[in-house]
Structure formats: structure tokens, C-alpha cells
Amino acid sequence: MTSKTVLVTGGSKGLGLCTTQRLLEKSYRVIVLSRSQGELSELLKNYPNHLHWIRADFADKESIAEAFKQISNVSSKIDALVLNAAQTIPMPFAQMKISDLEQNISVNITSALLCLQYSLELLRGGRAIFISTESVDKPFPLLSVYAATKAAVETAFNGLRAELYKDFNIQLTSLRAGYMADTAFGEAWPPEMAATFFKLAEESGSLRSGGSPMPSSRVAAMIEHIIELPQDVTINRLDVRSGDSS
């Protein structure tokens, strides 16, 4: 049994939802920030005393600030922060508008760093886990900007690691997740763009190099493992991929 409190961003679907469910089953108290309740409704019914949902639009800085005001009313302590919220929209670079670039940066970089900054006092003596992607090293077709945003936050974590451990006793881990079978990846994409992406990804070998899609529960288990590490132990970066990946 545990009495730990974990804050999960983007915890209403995909890997975030799977992680939330796993932690609840292990008696963690979980606070989820997401734009909508998504698939959380059943968990909210089953864990009314352990699961708290707070609305946050990760493209809106004011929405994030307001969400953290509400978090302080729910809990005076956060043991772990899981930065999972992200936006993945495939698009040819030549067709990207300024607003598309700004949206990628706002959701994937700015919101992650703001959530970390707003969490610092609550997270003293805890750890933050940033969910990155295997495509940082080999960007998928049409998702190069997405991969770049993930790389940017990884770099920020590398630079902040010593500072935040010294000032707040907070450990930072970047977790690069591989190809997963049961996530929200691609579900909201326009059908024509999704078809183009998967065709290009197959032709480039991006999907094949990731191996067979693994259940998101494998990654959720590793997130829990990191949360349970002794505070004087850290994992700077962890790659979690299918066993037959190349």
C-alpha cells in the first residue's frame, strides 16, 4: 500500500490513462490534468477518493496556471509528476503555418516546463518524469517538429537536473517510449493525413525499426518503477521499447 500522490498530465487517454489506472490499482492518489475527462469516467466512479480530475488546456498558459491553483487545494504534496501531455499532428513542413509551429511549441515544450515550474514547491523531495519518444533520434516522417519539441524538453531536463536536485531535492527522468499498440497516437488525425503518414513511415522503415507495438502497460509499469526508486537514486534517461526493435 502507498500513500503517494502523483500528478499526471494528459491522463485521460492512451498511455496517460493506462498509467493512471495502474497507479490507482496500486493505491496511489492520482491527480489528472487534461482538456477533457475523456475515458476517465469509469475510474472516477471506481476511485472517488483517490482520483481527482482538473481541466487544463495545455495550449493555454492561463488555463495551466489556474489548474495549479486548484491542485494546491487538492493536495499539499506531490510525490511524482508525469509529464505526458503532448500533441502529435503530422504535416509536411512546407505546409506548416506559424500557428502550427506555435501550437507544437506551446503544447509540447512550454506547457511541460510550466507544469514542472509550477510543481516545484509541491514536488520537493519527489521526481518528475518526462514522457519522450524514440523518434528523437530518428524522427518519423511528417513529425520532425514533434520530435524536435521532445528533444528540447529532454535537453532542458539535462540542464536542470543538478539545479533542481540541489534546490528542491527533485530527481528528473526522461523516458523515451517506443511504439505502443493501445495509445491515442493518430486517432484524431484527418484520415487522409493518417494514411499518408503510415505509408511514409512504412516506406522509411520507421515503424519496422520500432518492432512490434507493445502494450502501453509495459511503459506504465516502468513509470511506476521510477516513482518507487529511493530518492538518492536516479535514472537520467530510460528507453522502453519492444523486445524486437532494432
Side-chain angles (χ1 to χ4, degrees):
M1 298 290 287
T2 182
S3 59
K4 289 184 176 181
T5 298
V6 180
L7 173 61
V8 181
T9 70
S12 62
K13 58 184 178 180
L15 174 61
L17 178 68
C18 182
T19 300
T20 296
Q21 181 169 350
R22 181 182 180 90
L23 295 176
L24 289 170
E25 290 172 351
K26 297 297 184 70
S27 299
Y28 288 81
R29 189 179 184 212
V30 183
I31 303 170
V32 169
L33 297 188
S34 60
R35 192 168 53 182
S36 68
Q37 287 191 2
E39 301 171 41
L40 281 173
S41 55
E42 196 65 27
L43 291 178
L44 286 164
K45 291 178 185 177
N46 294 338
Y47 299 93
N49 298 319
H50 282 75
L51 177 59
H52 302 268
W53 173 74
I54 297 173
R55 185 186 181 281
D57 181 349
F58 296 103
D60 184 343
K61 295 185 291 293
E62 292 181 2
S63 176
I64 296 170
E66 179 57 35
F68 272 86
K69 290 178 183 177
Q70 296 182 52
I71 288 170
S72 61
N73 295 328
V74 172
S75 180
S76 60
K77 168 70 176 171
I78 296 172
D79 297 283
L81 168 66
V82 181
L83 294 167
N84 172 71
Q87 172 180 277
T88 55
I89 300 178
M91 185 179 298
F93 183 69
Q95 295 178 17
M96 277 192 167
K97 302 175 183 176
I98 292 176
S99 59
D100 296 319
L101 290 169
E102 290 176 339
Q103 182 87 350
N104 271 278
I105 292 169
S106 179
V107 174
N108 296 343
I109 301 177
T110 306
S111 77
L113 296 180
L114 281 178
C115 287
L116 176 61
Q117 187 181 61
Y118 289 149
S119 296
L120 292 178
E121 289 295 341
L122 294 172
L123 196 58
R124 279 186 180 272
R127 59 183 69 237
I129 303 166
F130 173 63
I131 306 303
S132 188
T133 169
E134 65 179 353
S135 67
V136 165
D137 284 339
K138 186 179 180 181
F140 290 159
L142 308 182
L143 287 175
S144 294
V145 172
Y146 165 74
T149 62
K150 290 293 190 177
V153 180
E154 282 193 22
T155 300
F157 263 45
N158 290 340
L160 291 169
R161 187 167 286 111
E163 175 188 338
L164 297 191
Y165 185 67
K166 176 178 178 291
D167 295 344
F168 296 93
N169 191 26
I170 293 172
Q171 299 283 15
L172 301 182
T173 297
S174 294
L175 188 158
R176 287 189 183 178
Y179 187 23
M180 291 176 281
D182 48 354
T183 70
F185 183 78
E187 69 177 20
W189 297 351
E192 183 177 337
M193 186 59 72
T196 300
F197 167 80
F198 284 108
K199 180 176 183 293
L200 291 173
E202 179 62 32
E203 290 174 352
S204 68
S206 298
L207 293 182
R208 290 192 301 277
S209 66
S212 304
M214 61 183 169
S216 56
S217 58
R218 301 285 192 270
V219 182
M222 296 311 299
I223 292 171
E224 184 196 358
H225 172 71
I226 296 168
I227 292 171
E228 286 300 322
L229 288 172
Q231 194 59 19
D232 61 349
V233 174
T234 189
I235 297 175
N236 290 351
R237 199 190 92 193
L238 179 67
D239 290 34
V240 183
R241 308 183 71 196
S242 174
D244 60 354
S245 62
S246 60

